[in-house]
Amino acid sequence: MTVFLNGKLLPAEQATVSVLDRGFIFGDGVYELVPVYSRVPFRLDEHLARLERSLAETKIRNPYSRAQWRDHIYRLIDAQPHEDQGVYFQVTRGVAKRDHAFPKAIAPTVFMMSNPLTNPPQAQVEKGAPAVSAADNRWLRCDIKSISLIGNCLLRQLSAEANAAETILFRDGKLTEASASNVFIVKRGVIQSPAKSNLILPGITYDVVVELARAGGMALEFRDVTEAEVRGADEVWVTSSSKEVLAIVELDGKRIGDGRPGPAFRRMYQLYQEFKQKVMRAGKREATTEAMRA
Ligand SMILES: Cc1ncc(COP(=O)(O)O)c(C=O)c1O
């Protein structure tokens, strides 16, 4: 596998990072994961904007301009054999003698790799997936896409051990998100999700779903969603760059709605696939719903 490290493309076995890197020592870094369909990155500008925000919030120097980021990412995509990829990139604060406080002059470490993209299998899309729930015990800056993911890993492991697709999280009796995705519910035809805040990651897929719902005339509300409302919802969906939109049909062993992906899900899934197809057909390496509609 060809990876990118600090400006160079090289075989993964030759890409090495110092043990003193603050990413290794403190988890002091931020990251992104961009889906790539037929070698066209999906919503790259939005991912880069979120990376820039994560870097600014963590006071890590951004080593590249937007144009340089794009160029490095395209080169990495072109160096892979797969058409559909998941491009992962992370920036850590860099290498320094261990000290919690930021070192003065330090060069950030940039690492990127691209793996074959794994979307949910068709059978899971059609049948839906089980999830479990847990208390959201992560820190209060879940809006930063930090590589310090031990909280998310511990929570995701709960669903992995239950053979479930996700762990849906509640904080103070209210829905936040899931261990690696955002969550929407549908009740009486209205799509509902928590508004963006410090308690959830501002998902790029969440934004696509919101845009597609609006463009498709589907009712949508941002509001606090209680745990009881999730359990009593007609439909529950999780969204992420790799899961796209996936119906959750069972929570903690109890059926959601009638235990099958609902009509709103099927419509949204269709809209999402159509939108993806348009992006791929356009074959351009930039895509916004606005540009695609034109
Ligand atoms: C905690 C969390 N929430 C939400 C998401 C979904 O974000 P996106 O749609 O940008 O992939 C992710 C994706 O990794 C995540 O880790």
Side-chain angles (χ1 to χ4, degrees):
M1 178 165 68
T2 301
V3 302
F4 172 103
L5 184 62
N6 298 326
K8 290 198 190 83
L9 287 176
L10 70 175
E13 316 79 69
Q14 289 171 25
T16 55
V17 177
S18 164
V19 290
L20 290 181
D21 193 281
R22 289 177 61 103
F24 183 59
I25 298 285
F26 293 118
D28 186 2
V30 299
Y31 78 107
E32 280 297 325
L33 182 102
V34 183
V36 174
Y37 301 103
S38 301
R39 300 193 180 272
V40 182
F42 187 67
R43 295 254 147 163
L44 179 56
D45 256 356
E46 286 79 356
H47 281 277
L48 289 175
R50 186 171 64 185
L51 178 76
E52 287 160 5
R53 179 179 180 277
S54 294
L55 289 168
E57 292 293 317
T58 53
K59 302 182 169 65
I60 295 174
R61 188 168 68 76
N62 186 346
Y64 303 133
S65 67
R66 190 75 74 93
Q68 286 171 320
W69 274 113
R70 276 203 211 103
D71 188 56
H72 292 317
I73 290 166
Y74 294 153
R75 282 200 297 131
L76 181 69
I77 293 170
D78 291 342
Q80 312 301 321
H82 320 283
E83 291 294 298
D84 294 349
Q85 304 175 23
V87 177
Y88 172 91
F89 44 107
Q90 69 167 45
V91 185
T92 72
R93 200 176 305 278
V95 179
K97 181 173 172 295
R98 188 180 181 281
D99 180 0
H100 287 59
F102 304 162
K104 285 220 167 58
I106 186 169
T109 304
V110 182
F111 171 66
M112 305 202 229
M113 63 181 161
S114 190
N115 290 299
L117 188 66
T118 42
N119 293 138
Q122 203 54 35
Q124 195 181 43
V125 170
E126 275 155 31
K127 278 199 187 146
V132 301
S133 71
D136 192 344
N137 53 13
R138 301 170 303 162
W139 71 332
L140 297 175
R141 290 305 309 275
C142 297
D143 55 316
I144 297 172
K145 202 162 168 62
S146 161
I147 62 167
S148 315
L149 286 173
I150 193 159
N152 301 64
C153 292
L154 288 167
L155 291 165
R156 172 65 185 106
Q157 187 58 20
L158 298 175
S159 46
E161 283 168 11
N163 281 322
E166 253 297 17
T167 308
I168 293 182
L169 307 175
F170 298 109
R171 195 188 283 270
D172 302 326
K174 288 182 204 136
L175 171 67
T176 52
E177 56 181 345
S179 70
S181 42
N182 291 110
V183 180
F184 290 80
I185 68 160
V186 181
K187 189 72 182 177
R188 285 183 274 278
V190 183
I191 304 167
Q192 303 168 37
S193 193
K196 287 180 188 170
S197 73
N198 59 309
L199 300 181
I200 68 170
L201 186 79
I204 306 300
T205 320
Y206 170 107
D207 283 342
V208 175
V209 164
V210 167
E211 286 173 34
L212 292 173
R214 286 192 171 133
M218 299 168 86
L220 174 84
E221 270 179 22
F222 299 108
R223 56 187 286 272
D224 286 350
V225 177
T226 65
E227 183 167 344
E229 285 172 320
V230 175
R231 297 190 191 281
D234 299 328
E235 301 184 26
V236 174
W237 314 339
V238 291
T239 68
S240 78
S241 294
S242 53
K243 289 188 205 70
E244 302 186 336
V245 193
L246 180 67
I248 297 300
V249 293
E250 191 187 294
L251 184 58
D252 299 328
K254 299 207 179 68
R255 275 191 345 194
I256 297 287
D258 66 2
R260 286 179 302 181
F265 167 77
R266 290 200 302 273
R267 172 113 200 272
M268 179 53 68
Y269 183 79
Q270 175 81 17
L271 290 172
Y272 198 91
Q273 298 309 313
E274 283 168 12
F275 179 59
K276 248 171 60 180
Q277 292 297 330
K278 274 193 210 166
V279 171
M280 281 187 273
R281 270 201 302 275
K284 279 188 286 183
R285 289 190 146 178
E286 267 321 308
T288 64
T289 36
E290 286 69 33
M292 287 302 114
R293 246 181 264 138

